Amino acid sequence: MKSRYAQKDLTAAGTATKSIHCGITPDPVTGSILTPIYQTATYAQEQVGVDKGHTYSRASNPTVSVLEKKLAGIEGVEYALCFATGMAATTTLLLSILRAGEHIVCSDVVYGGTVRLIEQVLDRFDITASYVDASNPENISQAIKDNTRLIFIETPANPTLKLNDIKKIAAIAHKHKLPLAVDNTFLSPILQKPFDLGADIVIYSTTKYIDGHNATVGGALLTKNQDYHASFDFNRKTLGSIQSPFDAWLIIQGLKTLDLRIKKHSENALIIAKFLEEHHKVAKVIYPGLKSFPQYKLAQRQHLGSCHGGIIAFEVVGGYKKAIKVMNSVLLSTLAESLGAVESLITHPASMTHGPIPKKQRNKIGITDGLIRLSVGLENPEDIIADLNAALN
Ligand code: PLP
């Protein structure tokens, strides 16, 4: 008998409802409201060629499939695939779209690991990239060559929070019959909907807000396009980059509160950005919710619910040495790589997340040695402020 819960239609539901319910029906055997962890390598087949939809956990796994359905449901697209890490998702994307000798146009500020992949792994196949200031979409048009096969952008960009206008860039990509891939890790599907703005592929490091508890590393690739999906699926199976069932299970639980968390992260971040802006030991604060943010209007237009995520970038008076002192002095915020979880994390991008980018290029794109990235957690904002204040003073 088919479960009555399978009949619930979530197409018109809000994102909080979708985050909790999409992809999930009570377990048909026990009624368990939580998705079981299908911790198995393989699946019994009734007869040769007759299976129940899964054959081997490198190709697919029922727990991972639930997370995929959930992500696809929230994003309003047909296809989602989950990966062992965000970088496994990006690697699968690039290996699926590009052949030897082809070219990517990439926004100039992206996660350092993405640059390392292109410059130190894919270079062996003569795959090249032009890194352009995509905040002026015209620069994208000018960088497109005969062998360009993909436009790849991150917005807000890690770590300088530079924004790119997804709608305008999608129009340019489509004029040239190229797909646009958007790394939407910083805002999550709750605060930014790249598909509604014309993106063809969306990438997540689920390690960040989607899990939200620093419990797992993971990634996802979403698309409306069946051919891209088939290629990502084939390459995931071939490269062996699928997510583990246990990680998928943890991420499913984390994702259920994403809507609530990302709004609270944004609220806390705005309070802290305003505090930093007023502090005499702070030289510069970058946060898309501040009126001083150079692309404030675009942030208002492109981000949903007047929320701009939990990441702040700032520089302190006294440059590099003082920045290091602040990062070495905080007690409540943890000095660590990563972002997007309940714990506030403080990072030195130049030596940590963006170390793979040569210093000259880093300086050109604003990742100075004195830049601090703060991932504002869900602690009481006054406690985060007290900790920062003590470190700054
Ligand atoms: N994309 C962005 C924007 C990131 O910040 C990161 C990691 O920090 C990645 C992708 C890579 O994800 P992962 O660390 O899960 O491999």
Side-chain angles (χ1 to χ4, degrees):
M1 192 178 69
K2 200 172 176 192
S3 163
R4 65 191 161 104
Y5 301 105
Q7 295 168 26
K8 69 186 171 204
D9 180 4
L10 297 168
T11 347
T15 45
T17 309
K18 284 182 175 167
S19 305
I20 295 166
H21 291 284
C22 268
I24 298 184
T25 46
D27 175 42
V29 179
T30 62
S32 164
I33 194 160
L34 292 200
T35 305
I37 305 172
Y38 290 95
Q39 189 64 56
T40 184
T42 193
Y43 306 82
Q45 302 186 16
E46 282 300 321
Q47 289 175 23
V48 173
V50 181
D51 59 59
K52 292 183 187 308
H54 300 277
T55 54
Y56 189 56
S57 280
R58 174 159 43 73
S60 67
N61 171 279
T63 314
V64 179
S65 299
V66 167
L67 176 58
E68 291 167 353
K69 282 194 193 118
K70 202 177 244 320
L71 285 169
I74 299 168
E75 201 83 60
V77 295
E78 209 150 329
Y79 306 109
L81 289 170
C82 288
F83 294 83
T85 64
M87 282 315 300
T90 306
T91 304
T92 304
L93 162 70
L94 299 185
L95 288 178
S96 302
I97 302 264
L98 296 151
R99 290 173 170 271
E102 293 183 335
H103 173 256
I104 313 161
V105 178
C106 187
S107 52
D108 57 359
V109 190
V110 285
Y111 170 58
T114 304
V115 177
R116 182 171 50 211
L117 169 66
I118 297 168
E119 298 300 316
Q120 296 183 45
V121 178
L122 297 183
D123 66 319
R124 289 175 223 165
F125 308 104
D126 292 329
I127 288 172
T128 53
S130 302
Y131 301 93
V132 301
D133 178 359
S135 66
N136 176 2
E138 205 29 53
N139 291 335
I140 297 229
S141 290
Q142 285 175 12
I144 293 171
K145 305 183 194 181
D146 288 346
N147 63 342
T148 304
R149 294 291 174 266
L150 178 70
I151 315 273
F152 184 107
I153 61 168
E154 215 179 273
T155 181
N158 184 359
T160 63
L161 304 172
K162 181 152 75 170
L163 305 187
N164 299 308
D165 189 323
I166 299 172
K167 205 170 184 179
K168 285 192 180 153
I169 296 172
I172 292 169
H174 298 157
K175 193 172 133 200
H176 293 268
K177 299 196 169 21
L178 294 170
L180 171 65
V182 178
D183 185 331
N184 198 30
T185 297
F186 266 40
L187 288 181
S188 88
I190 308 294
L191 301 187
Q192 184 165 263
K193 297 233 175 280
F195 288 113
D196 291 354
L197 302 170
D200 302 284
I201 299 153
V202 169
I203 303 129
Y204 287 108
S205 165
T206 59
T207 314
K208 319 299 182 196
Y209 290 104
I210 289 179
D211 168 325
H213 295 78
N214 280 325
T216 62
V217 286
L221 279 180
L222 291 94
T223 182
K224 290 179 182 172
N225 182 303
Q226 195 176 9
D227 293 339
Y228 292 144
H229 171 71
S231 176
F232 301 156
D233 197 22
F234 174 82
N235 281 314
R236 181 179 71 167
K237 178 174 70 179
T238 306
L239 297 167
S241 53
I242 194 172
Q243 192 160 66
S244 82
F246 183 53
D247 285 354
W249 186 86
L250 285 167
I251 298 166
I252 289 167
Q253 309 321 323
L255 183 46
K256 290 178 186 172
T257 55
L258 176 64
D259 189 272
L260 197 67
R261 283 187 286 105
I262 192 85
K263 289 173 185 164
K264 185 66 180 159
H265 279 292
S266 305
E267 198 183 301
N268 283 1
L270 183 60
I271 295 169
I272 286 154
K274 284 183 178 166
F275 154 77
L276 288 170
E277 210 171 33
E278 293 297 310
H279 201 289
H280 65 287
K281 297 238 167 117
V282 174
K284 183 177 169 188
V285 186
I286 310 170
Y287 183 67
L290 290 176
K291 292 229 165 74
S292 58
F293 184 71
Q295 297 166 291
Y296 182 72
K297 276 195 184 147
L298 175 57
Q300 296 293 317
R301 198 168 70 236
Q302 191 158 271
H303 304 169
L304 302 171
S306 300
C307 288
H308 305 281
I311 312 298
I312 300 172
F314 66 102
E315 286 178 15
V316 290
V317 175
Y320 175 68
K321 278 196 178 149
K322 292 281 181 202
I324 298 293
K325 208 161 179 202
V326 169
M327 285 179 279
N328 285 341
S329 306
V330 285
L331 298 175
L332 187 65
S333 294
T334 305
L335 177 64
E337 304 246 356
S338 206
L339 56 98
V342 293
E343 295 90 0
S344 291
L345 300 181
I346 201 160
T347 306
H348 182 228
S351 70
M352 296 163 83
T353 50
H354 291 71
I357 302 173
K359 188 176 167 124
K360 203 169 149 201
Q361 174 67 2
R362 279 203 312 265
N363 283 336
K364 192 176 150 205
I365 58 180
I367 311 176
T368 57
D369 284 349
L371 190 79
I372 299 174
R373 187 186 76 191
L374 178 67
S375 171
V376 178
L378 298 183
E379 301 92 346
N380 293 93
E382 58 275 18
D383 294 331
I384 305 171
I385 286 176
D387 185 42
L388 287 171
N389 199 31
L392 284 164
N393 290 326

